[in-house]
């Protein structure tokens, strides 16, 4: 059975994964909407930039985050000047790294969901006098909700498994940034740590598999609902 230290690692991972997913959600939805419905110059470039973390080595993504959030970096200098805080070597920094890595998967799932909404239903609602905001909240948002939920779960699963960007950006600090992947890596370096690796890896597999199953179920349910409508 996992000991108290290992359960603390799991709880920290869930915390960082949850915060990362919630922080990325509004950005992911806005980007997904722009890519699904927008027609503007540079749309293809924006699509490429959004999905860049999927093809870049995670270490490169972590290095870019480090440059941005370092004390002399543009974002880090602003955070220090206005709020007196730094995200380096903190769980909040790990959440930022996880959010950046989860964002492309969330955008992709949400975008497909928005594109699956029948535009005729929105046109009918507009014809009946509904405003654009009301059409969005009464037609588009409910129909795209299963895809949004699937994207959230998928992003959460990706955040749980984040390693490269996190260790490059905020290092491996026990109790602060040492999530499940980093804790497994540390245990592998310790003689006799195989038992801990097995337990932590088992919990990681169980959490990730559960998230993927839920995400697939939500995506299939959303597809059936749109088809019926």
């Amino acid at each position: 059975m996992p000991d108290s230290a290992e359960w603390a690692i799991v709880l920290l991972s869930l915390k960082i994964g949850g915060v990362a997913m919630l922080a990325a959600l509004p950005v992911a939805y806005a980007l997904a909407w722009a890519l699904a419905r927008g027609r503007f110059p540079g749309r293809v470039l924006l699509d490429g930039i959004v999905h860049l973390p999927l093809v870049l080595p995670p270490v490169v993504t972590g290095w870019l985050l480090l440059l941005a959030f370092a004390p002399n970096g543009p974002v880090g200098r602003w955070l220090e000047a206005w709020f007196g805080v730094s995200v380096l070597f903190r769980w909040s920094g790990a959440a930022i790294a996880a959010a950046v890595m989860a964002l492309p998967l969330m955008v992709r799932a949400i975008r497909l969901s928005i594109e699956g909404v029948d535009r005729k239903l929105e046109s009918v609602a507009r014809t009946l006098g509904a405003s654009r905001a009301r059409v969005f909240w009464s037609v588009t948002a409910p129909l795209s909700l299963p895809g949004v939920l699937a994207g959230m779960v998928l992003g959460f699963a990706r955040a749980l498994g984040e390693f490269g960007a996190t260790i490059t950006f905020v290092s491996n600090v026990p109790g602060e940034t040492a999530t499940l992947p980093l804790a497994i890596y540390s245990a592998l370096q310790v003689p006799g740590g195989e038992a801990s690796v097995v337990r932590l890896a088992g919990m990681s597999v169980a959490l990730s598999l559960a998230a993927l199953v839920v995400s697939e179920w939500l995506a299939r349910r959303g597809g059936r609902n749109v088809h019926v409508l």
Side-chain angles (χ1 to χ4, degrees):
M1 290 291 293
D3 58 26
S4 59
E6 291 168 345
W7 281 118
I9 293 170
V10 174
L11 292 177
L12 177 63
S13 299
L14 293 174
K15 173 185 175 181
I16 290 175
V19 171
M21 179 268 293
L22 292 175
L25 179 60
V27 179
Y29 198 96
L31 290 171
W33 182 272
L35 294 172
R37 297 292 179 87
R39 297 294 182 269
F40 53 89
R43 179 170 170 267
V44 175
L45 179 60
L46 176 62
D47 192 18
I49 293 174
V50 167
H51 290 90
L52 200 57
L54 289 179
V55 295
L56 272 180
V59 173
V60 175
T61 302
W63 174 68
L64 293 174
L65 288 172
L66 184 60
L67 291 179
F69 286 89
N72 293 326
V75 182
R77 187 185 306 114
W78 178 78
L79 288 175
E80 182 67 32
W82 285 91
F83 302 102
V85 299
S86 173
V87 297
L88 297 183
F89 312 113
R90 302 290 303 275
W91 73 266
S92 52
I96 291 172
V100 169
M101 298 302 295
L103 184 67
L105 295 178
M106 296 178 67
V107 169
R108 189 168 186 83
I110 297 171
R111 177 183 178 180
L112 291 174
S113 183
I114 294 173
E115 290 176 341
V117 175
D118 192 343
R119 301 291 291 272
K120 295 179 181 179
L121 297 175
E122 297 175 330
S123 299
V124 170
R126 289 284 291 162
T127 302
L128 295 175
S131 64
R132 291 184 181 275
R134 186 171 183 182
V135 169
F136 173 79
W137 289 111
S138 62
V139 178
T140 311
L143 290 179
S144 63
L145 182 59
V148 173
L149 295 176
M152 292 171 64
V153 176
L154 193 60
F156 177 71
R158 179 63 185 87
L160 283 179
E162 167 49 31
F163 175 81
T166 301
I167 198 170
T168 305
F169 178 35
V170 291
S171 190
N172 185 6
V173 182
E176 193 69 36
T177 67
T179 55
L180 276 168
L182 277 70
I184 292 171
Y185 174 79
S186 296
L188 284 171
Q189 313 306 311
V190 178
E194 292 81 4
S196 180
V197 170
V198 170
R199 290 192 296 269
L200 291 172
M203 289 187 287
S204 180
V205 170
L207 289 171
S208 299
L209 182 60
L212 289 173
V213 169
V214 172
S215 176
E216 180 66 18
W217 177 76
L218 288 170
R220 290 179 179 273
R221 181 183 179 187
R224 288 199 300 269
N225 290 342
V226 172
H227 178 73
V228 171
L229 289 170

